[in-house]
Amino acid sequence: MENANIMDINRILDESRDLGCSDLHFTAGLPPIVRLHGSLRKLSGYPDCTEPIIVNIINQITSIKHKNQISKGLDTDFSYTSAAGFRHRVNVYRQRGYHAVAIRLLRDDIPTLQDLNHPQIIADFAMKPRGLVLVTGPTGSGKSTTLAAMIDYINRQRNCHILTVEDPIEYVHTHKQAMVNQREIGQDVDSFSGSLRAALREDPDVILVGEMRDFETISAAVTAAETGHLVFSTLHTTGAAETIDRIIDVFPPHSQGQIRAQLGGNLVGVISQTLVPTADGKGRCAALEIMARTDAIGAMIREGKIHQIPSTIATGKKDGMFTLDQDLARLVRMGKITDEVARSRCKDVSEYRRFLEMG
């Protein structure tokens, strides 16, 4: 390397992509770190990062606007397209007085629901004329990929207007049967809640809100679903019951009855997912929990009997529902994942065991 303070970000991104990594990190005192099949490892052949090296990396990928934000010490999110034409989601932050960079490598192709081995009910959710569909799970659980596949499914099947609001745009959709307009926070619009209010004047049929972060966004998303739009969004929750509780808890006590009534009537379904390592050690697959709003579940939400929802999901096979523990048991029986991994991810070991033995 001619200059000890220079690493070529495009070369490193290409190398990480060739290995099949999902994320790339630059932090002081370590060489570039990648996440491969869920585990962190060092990229060989590179020196430990210093502050000048990291600042140079940041300068290679940022615009003047983002440089200004970073110079103020603010956490900064943006997208970056590499020299090879691949897109990335970038976060620049500070730790112990130094800069650090986290980069998510985005797929160029949009996987289909079939590619993801998702059940038919997810396609059914995507074809509903109106209502609220939530995809939930921890960071890095594949929520954006599932949403992109659902939006692509609608795009292929329906003549409609799809409007997305994302921070930043992760998957780029081309117009197929549908017209797709994608707006990026900070570039096209200031905030999720503001863009949602504006969206209702933009004649959409389908709205994707990247994340329901606050009261204003949740409130606007529920209203949009109630006024005849199909709305998709994400939450960092780990199951259907927890998701509904989280939404209701955001509202002040005097409004909780109203939001329960709205959700009870307008929720289409909740897809909760987590990525688990496959038995062959060559990748990860999604384990899901799926709740569809039936009349019984709608009544439970309205009446505040959220604690009854998990057992209703477990017995709701005819409506396409299943719990995470049921899906983990299914993946073990198929030989896709190991019993040890399933036990470490399940919500209730005895329930998981019961489903495994039931077949």
Side-chain angles (χ1 to χ4, degrees):
M1 238 170 249
E2 296 121 50
N3 186 326
N5 290 340
I6 293 178
M7 286 188 191
D8 181 349
I9 185 63
N10 288 302
R11 184 180 138 198
I12 297 173
L13 286 169
D14 290 347
E15 203 176 307
S16 305
R17 197 171 283 275
D18 289 346
L19 287 168
C21 303
S22 61
D23 298 84
L24 170 64
H25 296 269
F26 296 94
T27 192
L30 287 169
I33 299 287
V34 291
R35 189 178 290 278
L36 181 62
H37 307 326
S39 299
L40 294 177
R41 53 181 268 193
K42 296 173 181 177
L43 264 189
S44 59
Y46 291 93
D48 288 352
C49 292
T50 59
E51 177 71 356
I53 286 175
I54 296 171
V55 167
N56 181 269
I57 291 279
I58 292 168
N59 287 335
Q60 289 179 57
I61 59 178
T62 43
S63 64
I64 291 169
K65 177 188 161 190
H66 293 127
K67 282 186 176 75
N68 287 338
Q69 274 183 283
I70 292 162
S71 69
K72 292 173 187 166
L74 300 172
D75 285 9
T76 305
D77 291 297
F78 55 94
S79 51
Y80 172 71
T81 303
S82 67
F86 293 106
R87 302 182 72 259
H88 305 83
R89 188 177 82 196
V90 185
N91 178 273
V92 176
Y93 61 103
R94 290 183 73 84
Q95 59 89 26
R96 295 197 333 222
Y98 297 109
H99 286 91
V101 184
I103 302 176
R104 168 68 50 87
L105 282 68
L106 303 174
R107 283 175 61 156
D108 209 32
D109 58 318
I110 299 171
T112 64
L113 291 172
Q114 239 170 342
D115 292 339
L116 299 174
N117 293 315
H118 281 345
Q120 176 60 35
I121 189 166
I122 294 185
D124 297 343
F125 285 170
M127 295 310 285
K128 295 286 185 190
R130 70 189 69 81
L132 180 64
V133 178
L134 297 172
V135 180
T136 78
T139 302
S141 58
K143 298 187 294 294
S144 300
T145 305
T146 292
L147 279 172
M150 292 174 89
I151 293 295
D152 185 60
Y153 186 81
I154 298 169
N155 193 6
R156 291 168 189 271
Q157 307 279 340
R158 279 181 67 185
N159 177 305
C160 64
H161 179 196
I162 300 169
L163 190 63
T164 80
V165 189
E166 302 169 72
D167 184 19
I169 290 168
E170 297 195 21
Y171 290 90
V172 176
H173 295 270
T174 55
H175 310 296
K176 292 171 187 169
Q177 288 289 325
M179 172 173 72
V180 190
N181 285 312
Q182 295 181 265
R183 308 181 77 193
E184 187 164 307
I185 300 286
Q187 187 171 308
D188 305 307
V189 68
D190 283 339
S191 68
F192 280 123
S193 54
S195 64
L196 260 174
R197 285 192 296 273
L200 299 183
R201 299 190 292 274
E202 288 150 11
D203 187 35
D205 300 288
V206 176
I207 302 169
L208 164 68
V209 191
E211 200 181 319
M212 298 211 300
R213 287 181 182 169
D214 51 37
F215 168 75
E216 287 78 14
T217 307
I218 293 173
S219 189
V222 172
T223 301
E226 205 171 29
T227 51
H229 305 85
L230 181 62
V231 180
F232 293 89
S233 194
T234 68
L235 279 164
H236 292 286
T237 44
T238 54
E242 295 94 320
T243 300
I244 293 160
D245 275 334
R246 170 76 58 87
I247 292 173
I248 292 166
D249 286 346
V250 164
F251 286 77
H254 67 271
S255 305
Q256 290 186 354
Q258 185 189 346
I259 186 65
R260 277 201 294 267
Q262 287 175 300
L263 283 178
N266 295 299
L267 190 63
V268 168
V270 179
I271 302 155
S272 297
Q273 65 180 64
T274 183
L275 290 180
V276 290
T278 50
D280 61 11
K282 291 180 180 171
R284 293 184 293 170
C285 65
L288 306 176
E289 173 170 292
I290 293 187
M291 185 202 85
R293 189 200 65 83
T294 58
D295 290 343
I297 283 180
M300 284 170 201
I301 295 170
R302 283 193 297 274
E303 293 160 18
K305 297 176 179 172
I306 312 298
H307 61 279
Q308 295 179 5
I309 287 177
S311 59
T312 309
I313 295 173
T315 55
K317 188 179 176 183
K318 71 177 194 308
D319 296 305
M321 295 193 273
F322 49 84
T323 65
L324 176 66
D325 292 352
Q326 283 173 312
D327 204 35
L328 288 167
R330 177 185 70 86
L331 291 167
V332 171
R333 284 197 304 272
M334 287 169 63
K336 282 289 276 290
I337 65 172
T338 64
D339 177 58
E340 186 185 359
V341 163
R343 282 201 315 269
S344 73
R345 298 301 179 91
C346 68
K347 289 187 176 178
D348 182 327
V349 176
S350 57
E351 280 289 279
Y352 156 71
R353 280 255 170 263
R354 187 167 69 83
F355 295 133
L356 195 60
E357 285 156 17
M358 277 165 59

